Coordinates of all heavy atoms in Angstrom, one line a residue:
A806 N 20.6 -6.0 11.7 CA 20.9 -4.7 12.1 C 19.9 -4.4 13.3 O 18.8 -4.2 13.1 CB 20.7 -3.7 11.0
D808 N 18.5 -2.7 16.7 CA 18.4 -1.4 17.3 C 18.4 -1.7 18.9 O 17.6 -2.4 19.4 CB 17.0 -0.7 17.0 CG 17.2 0.0 15.7 OD1 16.9 -0.7 14.6 OD2 17.5 1.2 15.6
Q832 N 22.8 -0.8 16.1 CA 22.4 0.6 15.8 C 21.5 1.2 16.9 O 20.9 0.6 17.7 CB 21.7 0.6 14.4 CG 20.6 -0.5 14.2 CD 20.1 -0.5 12.8 OE1 20.9 -0.3 11.8 NE2 18.8 -0.7 12.6
T834 N 19.3 5.2 17.6 CA 18.8 6.4 17.0 C 19.3 7.7 17.7 O 19.5 7.7 18.9 CB 17.2 6.4 17.0 OG1 16.8 6.4 18.4 CG2 16.6 5.2 16.3
D866 N 21.0 5.1 13.3 CA 19.8 4.7 12.6 C 18.9 6.0 12.5 O 18.7 6.6 13.6 CB 19.1 3.6 13.3 CG 18.0 2.9 12.5 OD1 18.0 3.0 11.3 OD2 17.1 2.3 13.2
H867 N 18.3 6.3 11.4 CA 17.3 7.4 11.2 C 17.8 8.7 11.7 O 17.1 9.4 12.6 CB 16.0 7.0 12.0 CG 15.3 5.9 11.3 ND1 14.7 6.1 10.1 CD2 15.0 4.6 11.7 CE1 14.0 4.9 9.7 NE2 14.3 4.1 10.7
M886 N 22.8 6.4 8.8 CA 21.7 6.5 7.9 C 21.2 7.9 7.9 O 20.9 8.5 9.0 CB 20.5 5.6 8.4 CG 19.3 5.8 7.5 SD 17.8 5.2 8.2 CE 16.7 5.2 6.7
E916 N 23.7 4.9 4.6 CA 22.4 4.4 4.1 C 21.5 5.6 3.9 O 21.5 6.5 4.6 CB 21.8 3.5 5.2 CG 20.4 2.9 4.9 CD 19.9 2.0 6.1 OE1 20.7 1.5 6.9 OE2 18.7 1.9 6.2
E918 N 17.2 6.5 2.4 CA 15.9 5.9 2.2 C 15.1 6.7 1.1 O 15.0 7.9 1.2 CB 15.1 5.9 3.5 CG 13.7 5.4 3.4 CD 13.0 5.2 4.7 OE1 13.7 4.8 5.7 OE2 11.8 5.3 4.8
V922 N 9.0 4.3 4.8 CA 8.5 3.2 5.7 C 7.8 3.9 6.9 O 8.6 4.5 7.7 CB 9.6 2.3 6.1 CG1 9.1 1.1 7.0 CG2 10.4 1.7 4.9
R924 N 5.3 4.6 10.3 CA 5.2 4.2 11.7 C 3.9 4.8 12.3 O 3.5 5.9 11.8 CB 6.4 4.5 12.6 CG 6.7 6.0 12.8 CD 7.9 6.2 13.7 NE 9.1 6.1 12.9 CZ 10.1 5.2 13.3 NH1 9.9 4.4 14.3 NH2 11.2 5.1 12.6
T958 N 6.5 -3.1 4.6 CA 6.6 -3.2 6.1 C 6.3 -1.8 6.7 O 6.4 -0.8 6.0 CB 8.0 -3.7 6.5 OG1 9.0 -2.8 5.9 CG2 8.2 -5.1 6.1
R959 N 6.1 -1.8 8.0 CA 6.0 -0.6 8.8 C 6.8 -0.8 10.0 O 7.1 -1.9 10.4 CB 4.5 -0.3 9.2 CG 3.6 -0.2 8.0 CD 2.2 0.4 8.5 NE 2.3 1.8 8.4 CZ 2.0 2.7 9.4 NH1 1.7 2.2 10.6 NH2 2.1 4.0 9.2
H960 N 7.3 0.3 10.6 CA 8.0 0.2 11.9 C 7.0 -0.2 13.0 O 5.8 0.3 12.9 CB 8.6 1.6 12.3 CG 9.8 1.9 11.3 ND1 9.6 2.8 10.3 CD2 11.1 1.6 11.4 CE1 10.8 3.0 9.7 NE2 11.7 2.2 10.3
G961 N 7.4 -0.9 14.0 CA 6.5 -1.4 15.0 C 6.3 -2.8 14.7 O 6.9 -3.4 13.8
H962 N 5.5 -3.5 15.5 CA 5.5 -4.9 15.4 C 4.7 -5.5 14.3 O 5.0 -6.7 13.9 CB 5.0 -5.6 16.8 CG 5.5 -7.0 16.9 ND1 4.6 -8.1 16.7 CD2 6.7 -7.5 17.3 CE1 5.3 -9.2 16.9 NE2 6.5 -8.8 17.2
S963 N 3.8 -4.8 13.7 CA 3.0 -5.4 12.7 C 3.5 -5.1 11.3 O 3.8 -3.9 11.0 CB 1.6 -4.9 12.8 OG 1.6 -3.5 12.8
L987 N 15.8 -3.6 4.6 CA 14.4 -3.7 5.1 C 14.2 -3.1 6.5 O 14.9 -3.6 7.4 CB 14.0 -5.2 5.1 CG 12.5 -5.4 5.4 CD1 11.7 -5.1 4.1 CD2 12.2 -6.8 5.9
H988 N 13.4 -2.1 6.6 CA 13.1 -1.5 7.9 C 11.8 -2.2 8.3 O 11.0 -2.7 7.5 CB 12.9 0.0 7.8 CG 14.1 0.8 7.8 ND1 14.5 1.6 8.8 CD2 15.2 0.8 6.9 CE1 15.7 2.1 8.5 NE2 16.1 1.6 7.3
G989 N 11.5 -2.1 9.7 CA 10.3 -2.7 10.2 C 10.4 -4.2 10.2 O 9.4 -4.9 9.8
G990 N 11.5 -4.8 10.6 CA 11.7 -6.2 10.5 C 10.9 -7.0 11.6 O 10.6 -8.2 11.4
S991 N 10.4 -6.3 12.7 CA 9.7 -7.0 13.7 C 8.4 -7.5 13.2 O 7.6 -6.7 12.6 CB 9.5 -6.1 14.9 OG 10.8 -5.8 15.5
G992 N 8.0 -8.7 13.5 CA 6.7 -9.2 13.2 C 6.4 -9.6 11.8 O 5.4 -10.1 11.4
K1008 N 20.3 -6.2 4.5 CA 20.4 -5.7 5.9 C 18.9 -5.6 6.4 O 18.0 -5.1 5.7 CB 20.9 -4.2 5.8 CG 21.0 -3.5 7.2 CD 21.6 -2.1 7.1 CE 21.7 -1.3 8.4 NZ 20.5 -0.6 8.7
V1009 N 18.7 -6.3 7.5 CA 17.4 -6.3 8.1 C 17.4 -5.6 9.5 O 18.1 -6.0 10.4 CB 16.9 -7.8 8.3 CG1 15.6 -7.9 9.0 CG2 16.7 -8.5 6.9
N1010 N 16.6 -4.6 9.6 CA 16.5 -3.8 10.8 C 15.4 -4.4 11.7 O 14.2 -4.6 11.3 CB 16.1 -2.4 10.5 CG 17.2 -1.6 9.9 OD1 18.2 -2.1 9.5 ND2 17.0 -0.3 9.8
V1011 N 15.8 -4.7 13.0 CA 14.9 -5.2 14.0 C 15.0 -4.4 15.3 O 16.1 -4.2 15.8 CB 15.1 -6.7 14.2 CG1 14.2 -7.1 15.4 CG2 14.9 -7.5 13.0
G1012 N 13.9 -3.8 15.7 CA 14.0 -3.0 17.0 C 12.9 -3.4 18.0 O 13.2 -3.9 19.1
T1013 N 11.7 -3.3 17.5 CA 10.5 -3.5 18.5 C 10.6 -4.9 19.1 O 10.3 -5.0 20.3 CB 9.2 -3.3 17.7 OG1 9.2 -2.1 17.1 CG2 8.0 -3.5 18.6
A1014 N 10.9 -5.9 18.3 CA 10.9 -7.3 18.9 C 11.9 -7.4 20.0 O 11.7 -8.2 21.0 CB 11.2 -8.3 17.8
L1015 N 13.0 -6.7 19.9 CA 14.0 -6.8 21.0 C 13.5 -6.0 22.2 O 13.7 -6.4 23.4 CB 15.4 -6.1 20.6 CG 16.0 -6.8 19.4 CD1 17.2 -6.0 18.9 CD2 16.6 -8.2 19.8
N1016 N 12.9 -4.8 22.0 CA 12.3 -4.1 23.1 C 11.2 -5.0 23.8 O 11.2 -5.0 25.1 CB 11.6 -2.8 22.6 CG 12.6 -1.8 22.2 OD1 13.8 -1.9 22.5 ND2 12.2 -0.7 21.6
Ligands
LIG393 P1 10.9 -2.6 14.0 O1 10.9 -1.8 15.2 O2 9.6 -2.8 13.3 O3 11.7 -3.9 14.1 O4 11.8 -1.7 12.9 C1 13.1 -1.4 13.3 C2 13.6 -0.4 12.2 O5 13.3 -0.5 11.1 C3 14.7 0.5 12.7 O6 15.2 1.3 11.7

Side-chain angles (χ1 to χ4, degrees):
D808 279 90
Q832 51 188 35
T834 61
D866 192 24
H867 289 293
M886 176 197 194
E916 173 180 342
E918 177 168 330
V922 182
R924 67 179 75 240
T958 54
R959 303 193 88 236
H960 293 97
H962 200 259
S963 55
L987 188 77
H988 280 245
S991 297
K1008 173 177 182 276
V1009 173
N1010 286 12
V1011 176
T1013 304
L1015 298 170
N1016 288 348

